[in-house]
Amino acid sequence: MAAEQHVVAVDVGGTSIKAALVDRDLRAVATLREPTRRDGEVADVGQIAELVDRLAAGHDVVGAGVAVPGIVDDGLGLVRAAVNLGWVDVALRDRLTAQTDVPLLVRHDVRTGGLAEFTVGAGKGADDALFISVGTGIAAAVQVDGRTLGASGYAGEIGHVVVDPGGAVCGCGTQGCLETLAAAPAFARRYEQRTGRTISDAAGVAGLLATDPDAQAVWQDAVNALATALLDAVTLFGPAIIIIGGGVAEAGETLVGPVREELYSRLKFQRRPEVVRAALGQDAGRVGAALLGWQAAKS
């Protein structure tokens, strides 16, 4: 009897790399997690290959998928720029394929999460969908007529839509980007600016919403900013469903509900999308990378 086939799913981050051996039902049967190894400021591509080889040992591994932050050309498997990894124009797919001898696909991490949500998650069955990840940064995956938009790696940077022209300067150098108001670090920073009191994160702000007017103001500013950016996205792409994921979305309806209500109040002629929380949560990256692995196996 032939051995069961598997793929390896890898989620690369600036601080850690997570990898899993995944079966055809998208279940992780083995996992590894390591701090991201670096040579100075540059993350070591070889570490990814090592994780793939370790998980593949003794198994019939037919493909691998790798999710990476930054500007990633999915078609070429080329990382044009990944600031947190110190990479510029890294031919990641070709290098990893040569080192592992496993068919492999590389995709932007949020588009990988979007692939998972569009295929087996909250957006399953929707040809027109948008997945937005609200975490340390903010980015989106957009599916139109059943096809995910890539634009050689430049599509989906919704975190850098300007929502507050007179606002704070973003890390990208532009003034008033969505990330300055609604990315995870913005909640604690803006609360401290208002009150002089330190708070740990967005979840800490959420925990004060019942009683603290300053927390309410910071939260509402984020809701308004998200609704502004999503209105642009709805007008441009016409999604039937908007899926909100990422760490800040762990607040559930505390975030999703007000964003839905604010967005709906602004719609005029546009399609009225369903607005829901992501179904896969922290597993979206792994599931999406596994789906890439199965795609690689067929190519």
Side-chain angles (χ1 to χ4, degrees):
M1 182 176 176
E4 183 180 359
Q5 293 182 329
H6 294 82
V7 296
V8 174
V10 185
D11 192 354
V12 181
T15 57
S16 68
I17 300 177
K18 296 176 287 185
L21 184 70
V22 180
D23 66 15
R24 285 195 176 275
D25 294 323
L26 303 178
R27 295 176 301 200
V29 298
T31 60
L32 293 171
R33 180 171 184 160
E34 294 182 353
T36 304
R37 196 165 69 210
R38 296 174 180 272
D39 180 6
E41 295 299 315
V42 180
D44 182 8
V45 171
Q47 183 182 13
I48 303 170
E50 291 170 13
L51 289 169
V52 172
D53 286 343
R54 283 164 59 189
L55 285 167
H59 298 277
D60 183 11
V61 168
V62 295
V66 181
V68 186
I71 303 296
V72 183
D73 187 320
D74 301 337
L76 297 177
L78 172 69
V79 182
R80 297 185 182 278
V83 174
N84 291 339
L85 299 170
W87 290 348
V88 177
D89 291 333
V90 174
L92 189 62
R93 184 188 65 195
D94 292 346
R95 289 176 60 177
L96 290 175
T97 300
Q99 292 180 48
T100 64
D101 200 30
V102 172
L104 187 142
L105 290 176
V106 171
R107 183 174 285 196
H108 181 265
D109 56 356
V110 174
R111 285 195 292 278
T112 303
L115 173 65
E117 289 290 345
F118 300 155
T119 306
V120 297
K124 182 179 180 181
D127 284 340
D128 305 310
L130 184 144
F131 169 69
I132 181 170
S133 177
V134 187
T136 304
I138 302 175
V142 184
Q143 180 168 275
V144 178
D145 295 335
R147 299 184 63 180
T148 300
L149 305 183
S152 300
Y154 291 96
E157 293 293 337
I158 195 170
H160 300 289
V161 170
V162 174
V163 296
D164 182 18
V169 176
C170 179
C172 76
T174 302
Q175 191 172 8
C177 291
L178 174 61
E179 287 191 2
T180 67
L181 289 166
F187 288 83
R189 184 186 71 249
R190 299 189 71 249
Y191 184 81
E192 184 172 356
Q193 288 171 346
R194 288 181 66 95
T195 66
R197 299 191 297 273
T198 301
I199 199 162
S200 58
D201 52 21
V205 175
L208 297 174
L209 289 176
T211 58
D212 188 332
D214 289 303
Q216 293 164 7
V218 168
W219 199 264
Q220 189 61 48
D221 285 345
V223 166
N224 290 342
L226 284 163
T228 297
L230 289 172
L231 177 62
D232 289 346
V234 169
T235 305
L236 286 169
F237 304 116
I241 184 168
I242 293 172
I243 303 156
I244 303 179
V248 179
E250 295 298 311
E253 277 298 302
T254 301
L255 178 72
V256 176
V259 169
R260 181 191 302 117
E261 182 178 342
E262 183 62 31
L263 175 61
Y264 285 177
S265 74
R266 301 183 187 195
L267 296 175
K268 304 302 180 187
F269 65 90
Q270 298 92 339
R271 173 187 263 178
R272 185 183 179 95
E274 187 180 1
V275 181
V276 301
R277 181 182 174 187
L280 299 172
Q282 300 303 312
D283 290 333
R286 172 181 60 76
V287 173
L291 289 166
L292 288 178
W294 289 114
Q295 288 181 17
K298 297 175 183 177
S299 60

